[in-house]
């Protein structure tokens, strides 16, 4: 596709359940980012993948959060034992390369609601 | 102190007004700077890069002041469609790109 694709667009889950969010980056983009945006707040960095290098997980808020990416393809963000505080929009972005002058292109996000 | 700081606003301006936002950053080694725009309940999109010499794109002008460590965005002849949140973005090296929390702009008829 032409842009970054995320699915599902909306997810409602019950507290304690696991959820998996998917991001399909722009073809050829080596760098992929996950962000969290709570209502009315700024973007909170979660994790960064660059090619086959080890990801930078420094932004993951707890061990309930994990993410995977195989090569330069699809990434999944998994939240285990969801809590109400996890309710937010999860945004994925990709860029042609990481580092200097990278311009990030965002997907439309997954709106997660934990009841 | 936050690495990237913006006045959250909101800025309420009439159509046709000129409005300016500043964004300060704390890392003097920061290398690249951008302004993104985020419409309500939408994803952020690149508005413009910020070059050392300053740059202009139609009604939008971006400036960088390295000595004082801030970037600015000037919008001339504001349109209703300019209403959005404007995000300052600073690239500090390696992979790390820091987004500011954004400045909200409302342009009213």
């Amino acid at each position: 596709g032409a842009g970054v694709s995320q699915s599902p667009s909306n997810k409602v889950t019950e507290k304690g359940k696991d959820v998996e969010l998917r991001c399909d980056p722009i073809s050829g983009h080596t760098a992929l980012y996950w962000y969290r945006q709570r209502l009315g707040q700024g973007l909170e960095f979660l994790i960064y993948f660059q090619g086959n290098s080890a990801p930078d997980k420094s932004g993951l808020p707890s061990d309930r959060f994990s993410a995977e990416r195989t090569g330069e393809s699809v990434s999944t963000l998994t939240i285990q034992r969801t809590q109400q505080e996890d309710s937010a929009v999860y945004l994925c972005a990709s860029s042609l390369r990481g580092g200097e002058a990278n311009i990030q292109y965002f997907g439309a996000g997954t709106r997660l609601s934990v009841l | 102190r936050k690495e990237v700081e913006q006045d959250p606003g909101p800025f309420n301006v009439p159509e046709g007004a000129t409005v300016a936002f500043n964004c300060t950053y704390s890392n003097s080694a920061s290398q690249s700077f951008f302004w993104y725009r985020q419409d309500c309940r939408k994803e952020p999109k690149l508005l413009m890069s910020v070059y050392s010499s300053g740059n202009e794109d139609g009604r939008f002008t971006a400036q960088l002041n390295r000595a004082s460590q801030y970037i600015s965005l000037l919008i001339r002849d504001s349109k209703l469609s300019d209403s959005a949140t404007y995000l300052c973005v600073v690239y500090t090296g390696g992979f790390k790109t820091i987004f500011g929390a954004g400045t909200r702009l409302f342009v009213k008829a």
Side-chain angles (χ1 to χ4, degrees):
Chain A
V4 178
S5 177
Q6 290 188 246
S7 61
S9 55
N10 287 282
K11 176 71 177 178
V12 180
T13 190
E14 294 179 349
K15 180 180 173 181
K17 299 286 189 183
D18 297 352
V19 295
E20 187 173 280
L21 313 180
R22 175 187 170 106
C23 173
D24 199 345
I26 293 171
S27 178
H29 279 196
T30 61
L32 186 149
Y33 302 77
W34 282 100
Y35 297 90
R36 178 169 70 179
Q37 188 172 33
R38 292 195 168 109
L39 187 63
Q41 305 294 312
L43 274 70
E44 178 185 0
F45 166 77
L46 297 177
I47 188 169
Y48 162 80
F49 295 91
Q50 170 61 52
N52 292 314
S53 301
D56 189 303
K57 304 180 180 181
S58 60
L60 294 178
S62 78
D63 59 8
R64 296 187 297 106
F65 288 72
S66 62
E68 293 184 354
R69 186 187 188 199
T70 304
E72 298 179 1
S73 62
V74 170
S75 176
T76 56
L77 176 69
T78 302
I79 308 173
Q80 296 178 308
R81 305 181 302 282
T82 52
Q83 304 294 313
Q84 289 182 333
E85 67 209 39
D86 299 334
S87 296
V89 175
Y90 289 82
L91 290 161
C92 174
S94 70
S95 65
L96 188 58
R97 62 184 188 280
E100 186 173 353
N102 64 325
I103 293 173
Q104 296 182 34
Y105 297 87
F106 284 82
T110 294
R111 188 172 303 275
L112 176 66
S113 300
V114 181
L115 305 179
Chain B
R1 181 185 174 187
K2 291 182 180 178
E3 292 186 79
V4 177
E5 291 198 75
Q6 295 184 250
D7 181 343
F11 285 65
N12 294 290
V13 302
E15 273 189 294
T18 296
V19 62
F21 313 132
N22 281 346
C23 165
T24 59
Y25 60 93
S26 60
N27 188 338
S28 60
S30 297
Q31 301 175 21
S32 302
F33 309 88
F34 309 91
W35 284 103
Y36 277 67
R37 168 190 171 134
Q38 186 173 26
D39 293 301
C40 187
R41 300 175 76 85
K42 298 287 189 180
E43 71 274 22
K45 293 183 178 179
L46 178 70
L47 178 65
M48 59 196 304
S49 301
V50 186
Y51 304 126
S52 297
S53 56
N55 49 306
E56 187 174 308
D57 183 1
R59 298 182 293 107
F60 298 83
T61 299
Q63 297 278 354
L64 167 63
N65 186 317
R66 284 195 182 274
S68 300
Q69 294 183 205
Y70 73 86
I71 65 172
S72 64
L73 177 67
L74 180 78
I75 305 175
R76 290 182 299 278
D77 188 22
S78 299
K79 311 292 185 189
L80 294 175
S81 59
D82 294 334
S83 297
T85 297
Y86 291 83
L87 304 171
C88 166
V89 183
V90 177
Y91 167 70
T92 59
F95 81 92
K96 199 168 186 183
T97 304
I98 309 298
F99 281 76
T103 297
R104 296 175 69 189
L105 172 66
F106 293 103
V107 181
K108 300 187 175 181

